[in-house]
Amino acid sequence: MPDASRNDRNDRSGHPCPTTLRRLEKSAGRLAAAAIARMDEALPWYRAMPPENRSWIGLVAQAGIAAFTEWFRHPEAPQAISTDVFGTAPRELTRAVTLRQTVEMVRTTIEVMESAIDEVAAPGDESALREALLVYSREIAFATAQVYAQAAEARGAWDARLESLVVNAILSGEAEEGMLSRAAALGWRSPDRVVVVLGTAPDGDNELTVDAIRRAARHARLQVLTGVLGERLVVVAGGPGDPIRIAKALIGPYAPGPVVVGPVVPDLVSATRSAQAAAAGLKACAAWPDVPRPVLADDLLPERAMAGDPGARRQLVEEIYRPLEEAGSALLETLSVYLEQASSLEGAARMLFVHPNTVRYRLRRVTDVTGWSPSDVRSAFTLRTALILGRLADAEQRR
């Protein structure tokens, strides 16, 4: 009498295991329900999810078992596993379910299917079904990695465009409240100290430059928004510490040349002011051959004023000239004479008919009032420029 099992294996369907295939098709719904029940029992994160997400995960599990059935039916045909299994779920699910959680979900489903092999497989087909499930589990692992890699790549490209828009808005002076939500989507956590660092971008791949800035920021525990705009590398940095320390922590990826740090501002919307000062400073660096690297934009106030920066001119008048004027005419007069006498205490004292100690005391008062020391060559240049601009402003008001 011919072997019934052998005849079954070689029936008209041409499939080597037709009975097992039919049993697998009939068991697909039951296996999917068992997999979902196992997930609910063994995976706390699944139980804590909203019903909508649990429903999508159930559909993915069903699609996975259906895809395995099709795989088992045509093992020689090319299979689009990622489309067959994950195509049922919305793209947003990759944000709600982590890669680790997806691996746990796939593992649980495969374990349920493995435990049912003896029940589903026809006698003698157990090894064939187990081997097919092993091959399929490998393919589903690759498909899972592909889905999350594609999602990460798309998200990365979108984040890069969004970050470029935020940085450009800050640099162009178009920052507004709506920008805060876009920055928040990029992980910006609204630090209370923000500076903008500007310099020349290096040649080569801009993405590598941006990645280098991010690595440096993580090492320095700073928040950054960054981008390459034309030839300039722009970094909006938030975190504790003085601006020079922040700039030194991030300076590695910049190309050789000046790197200018804008003043500290309290929030991202105000970062436009820091960016504009840094941009004006970068333009004015050509007037200071030995400019430090990095340099504060405020240290370039004289050069910025001469280059036509109205903000620098206003700052020199309002922060140096006006406070000296309010402190009394003696300070303005003493500072002016001292600078005209080539920073000579004795020469200034003779011109003012006072003791050198009086000149010394008044100069200390100038430092206290302005924060700039007349005895320092660089500070004296800044003070002299402020005096010139202040006198010009006074003359303009008298007209």
Side-chain angles (χ1 to χ4, degrees):
M1 182 176 178
D3 190 322
S5 177
R6 182 177 303 168
N7 289 340
D8 192 33
R9 287 189 176 87
N10 295 280
D11 68 0
R12 287 178 298 176
S13 69
H15 194 279
C17 307
T19 303
T20 298
L21 178 60
R22 288 195 297 272
R23 289 185 177 183
L24 185 60
E25 290 172 342
K26 291 179 181 179
S27 302
R30 180 174 55 82
L31 290 173
I36 294 169
R38 179 76 64 85
M39 281 186 254
D40 189 63
E41 175 186 350
L43 303 177
W45 59 263
Y46 175 78
R47 293 195 300 272
M49 294 192 100
E52 181 182 4
N53 287 345
R54 288 203 303 272
S55 175
W56 280 117
I57 289 176
L59 290 177
V60 170
Q62 292 176 16
I65 294 173
F68 172 67
T69 303
E70 191 63 24
W71 174 282
F72 191 67
R73 186 195 310 277
H74 301 293
E76 74 288 345
Q79 304 288 331
I81 296 295
S82 61
T83 302
D84 293 342
V85 177
F86 298 102
T88 60
R91 183 178 300 177
E92 292 78 8
L93 197 63
T94 58
R95 294 181 180 268
V97 182
T98 66
L99 177 58
R100 179 185 61 80
Q101 291 171 339
T102 302
V103 170
E104 291 179 351
M105 178 186 73
V106 171
R107 182 187 294 121
T108 301
T109 305
I110 295 296
E111 287 174 353
V112 167
M113 296 179 69
E114 282 180 335
S115 66
I117 284 178
D118 293 336
E119 178 184 348
V120 173
D125 287 347
E126 294 87 354
S127 295
L129 185 59
R130 187 172 286 107
E131 181 178 348
L133 186 59
L134 179 64
V135 174
Y136 178 77
S137 64
R138 182 194 66 188
E139 294 301 321
I140 200 70
F142 285 128
T144 301
Q146 181 184 23
V147 166
Y148 276 84
Q150 289 173 342
E153 184 176 358
R155 189 159 56 244
W158 169 252
D159 287 351
R161 290 193 293 272
L162 189 61
E163 187 170 15
S164 180
L165 287 173
V166 172
V167 171
N168 186 63
I170 291 172
L171 197 62
S172 63
E174 299 173 358
E176 32 77 27
E177 292 294 333
M179 183 187 66
L180 296 178
S181 61
R182 294 190 287 272
L186 295 167
W188 183 263
R189 296 187 296 279
S190 300
D192 56 7
R193 289 175 59 85
V194 179
V195 296
V196 176
V197 186
L198 275 182
T200 304
D203 295 332
D205 192 336
N206 291 342
E207 290 185 8
L208 295 179
T209 300
V210 168
D211 288 342
I213 289 289
R214 292 201 180 106
R215 284 195 302 272
R218 285 194 297 270
H219 186 265
R221 298 182 179 179
L222 297 169
Q223 297 181 56
V224 295
L225 297 169
T226 184
V228 177
L229 303 181
E231 296 181 350
R232 292 184 293 187
L233 174 55
V234 186
V235 179
V236 183
D242 66 272
I244 289 294
R245 186 197 70 82
I246 291 174
K248 285 182 177 178
L250 303 173
I251 203 170
Y254 283 88
V259 174
V260 182
V261 193
V264 176
V265 293
D267 52 49
L268 198 60
V269 174
S270 304
T272 287
R273 179 158 50 87
S274 183
Q276 290 174 343
L282 190 63
K283 177 182 176 182
C285 277
W288 188 359
D290 298 323
V291 62
R293 177 185 160 98
V295 61
L296 295 174
D298 282 358
D299 288 344
L300 287 156
L301 284 173
E303 288 82 2
R304 288 167 52 193
M306 293 179 188
D309 178 14
R313 294 183 176 185
R314 186 168 53 252
Q315 189 173 345
L316 286 167
V317 173
E318 293 178 356
E319 295 184 5
I320 296 178
Y321 184 80
R322 296 303 178 202
L324 287 175
E325 188 178 47
E326 293 169 2
S329 59
L331 292 189
L332 270 178
E333 183 184 18
T334 300
L335 176 62
S336 178
V337 171
Y338 175 76
L339 295 175
E340 293 296 335
Q341 294 299 312
S343 301
S344 167
L345 283 172
E346 291 76 12
R350 285 194 300 270
M351 293 292 295
L352 294 168
F353 302 102
V354 296
H355 194 278
N357 285 343
T358 302
V359 176
R360 188 177 287 108
Y361 167 76
R362 290 177 181 175
L363 294 180
R364 282 200 299 267
R365 287 280 296 131
V366 168
T367 303
D368 293 339
V369 170
T370 67
W372 300 86
S373 173
S375 61
D376 177 79
V377 174
R378 180 71 195 174
S379 293
F381 175 46
T382 303
L383 290 166
R384 184 187 291 273
T385 306
L387 292 182
I388 294 170
L389 293 173
R391 290 167 184 153
L392 290 173
D394 286 347
E396 185 68 27
Q397 290 177 1
R398 289 193 294 266
R399 289 179 185 175

